């Protein structure tokens, strides 16, 4: 029941976000695909797909931020929290379901656009390696998990349908800007999402080593932010 409730509450935003992400990717690859392939062949098209992936990462952050803008605090703001609180489940359970639904939707927002781009590359005559697409998706989700959890935390601390997403996007932007320097770039989740480290513009492929340690560090920080979110809601007086 809780999963169904979470889906009903977010399905409209999810469908809009999914259509938007797919349309963004296809618009760019269709517009510039022939030119890129005509100038450099396979490598040119692969470079274009990587560049579109960086744009997808930005769209993904915006999409998941608005998808996570729900939960008990936002329901309280519109006077609808009494029903949810009357359910025979703990607040922790409610939070886990809401975050789980958001995470599954976030995965779909990364995977489906890449499926569309893979189909385009195959039709264009330059099939893109599926493993390379999987690496791009993994990088996006590894760095994006932190932004997803930031949005989840802000929705648990800040009331308001519009205030919470603005605060969340602002914090995400400050984080990326603060870690833009050469020494701190390796700790920038936005940079990991774009996948520029270890990417070869000559071949259009990712050739660097997987950033498992950085991904694990982002996961640990995300888990901490999730715990803070749960504690905030558990101690909130509705």
């Amino acid at each position: 029941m809780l999963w169904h409730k979470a889906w009903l509450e977010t399905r409209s935003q999810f469908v809009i976000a999914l259509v938007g992400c797919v349309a963004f990717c296809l618009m760019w690859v269709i517009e510039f695909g022939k030119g890129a392939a005509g100038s450099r062949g396979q490598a040119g098209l692969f470079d274009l797909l990587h560049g579109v992936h960086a744009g997808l990462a930005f769209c993904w952050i915006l999409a998941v931020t608005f998808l996570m803008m729900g939960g008990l605090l936002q329901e309280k703001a519109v006077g609808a929290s009494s029903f949810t609180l009357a359910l025979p489940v703990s607040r922790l359970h409610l939070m886990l379901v809401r975050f789980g639904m958001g995470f599954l939707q976030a995965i779909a927002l990364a995977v489906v656009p890449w499926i569309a781009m893979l189909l385009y590359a195959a039709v264009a005559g330059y099939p893109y390696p599926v493993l390379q697409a999987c690496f791009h998706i993994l990088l996006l989700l590894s760095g994006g998990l932190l932004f997803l959890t930031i949005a989840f935390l802000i929705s648990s601390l800040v009331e308001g349908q519009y205030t919470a997403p603005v605060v969340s996007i602002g914090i995400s932007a400050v984080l990326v800007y603060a870690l833009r320097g050469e020494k701190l770039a390796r700790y920038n989740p936005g940079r990991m999402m774009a996948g520029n480290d270890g990417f070869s513009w000559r071949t259009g492929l990712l050739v660097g080593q997987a950033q498992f340690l950085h991904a694990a560090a982002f996961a640990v920080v995300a888990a901490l932010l999730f715990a803070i979110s749960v504690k905030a809601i558990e101690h909130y007086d509705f």
Side-chain angles (χ1 to χ4, degrees):
M1 176 183 177
L2 289 178
W3 285 94
H4 184 61
K5 178 178 180 295
W7 165 248
L8 292 178
E9 291 174 347
T10 58
R11 62 181 177 181
S12 297
Q13 301 96 305
F14 170 68
V15 171
I16 293 172
L18 184 61
V19 171
C21 288
V22 173
F24 170 85
C25 293
L26 287 181
M27 178 185 70
W28 282 97
V29 297
I30 291 174
E31 179 70 20
F32 299 104
K34 290 184 179 180
S39 61
R40 295 184 56 217
Q42 175 177 282
L45 182 59
F46 288 4
D47 283 349
L48 174 63
L49 292 180
H50 175 75
V52 173
H53 170 81
L56 172 62
F58 175 76
C59 293
W60 186 93
I61 293 175
L62 294 179
V64 300
T65 296
F66 284 97
L67 280 175
M68 298 307 290
M69 291 299 117
L72 289 172
L73 199 59
Q74 307 308 318
E75 289 182 13
K76 176 183 178 295
V78 297
S81 60
S82 57
F83 170 77
T84 305
L85 290 171
L87 296 174
V89 293
S90 66
R91 295 186 184 185
L92 172 60
H93 192 179
L94 291 171
M95 300 281 279
L96 285 170
V97 171
R98 188 166 74 85
F99 185 83
M101 178 58 68
F103 185 66
L104 291 176
Q105 292 171 337
I107 293 175
L109 291 175
V111 173
V112 176
W114 260 107
I115 292 176
M117 290 193 290
L118 287 174
L119 291 175
Y120 174 85
V123 171
Y126 298 105
Y128 191 74
V130 175
L131 190 59
Q132 284 285 318
C134 292
F135 285 156
H136 277 88
I137 293 170
L138 182 61
L139 289 173
L140 189 153
L141 294 175
S142 296
L145 179 62
L146 190 56
F147 295 108
L148 180 74
T149 318
I150 288 174
F152 186 75
L153 173 62
I154 297 303
S155 70
S156 303
L157 297 174
V158 180
E159 289 188 35
Q161 184 179 0
Y162 303 105
T163 305
V166 169
V167 172
S168 179
I169 292 173
I171 292 176
S172 298
V174 169
L175 176 63
V176 172
Y177 182 80
L179 298 177
R180 74 192 188 285
E182 183 177 349
K183 294 182 179 180
L184 298 176
R186 68 182 66 181
Y187 307 110
N188 192 327
R191 185 179 178 88
M192 171 178 276
M193 292 176 69
N196 289 332
D197 293 331
F199 180 77
S200 171
W201 291 100
R202 183 178 62 83
T203 62
L205 299 173
L206 289 169
V207 296
Q209 297 180 349
Q211 300 171 311
F212 292 118
L213 290 179
H214 293 160
F218 292 148
V220 170
V221 176
L224 178 60
L225 296 180
F226 177 83
I228 296 173
S229 304
V230 173
K231 289 297 182 183
I233 291 296
E234 287 181 340
H235 288 86
Y236 198 92
D237 184 10
F238 288 91

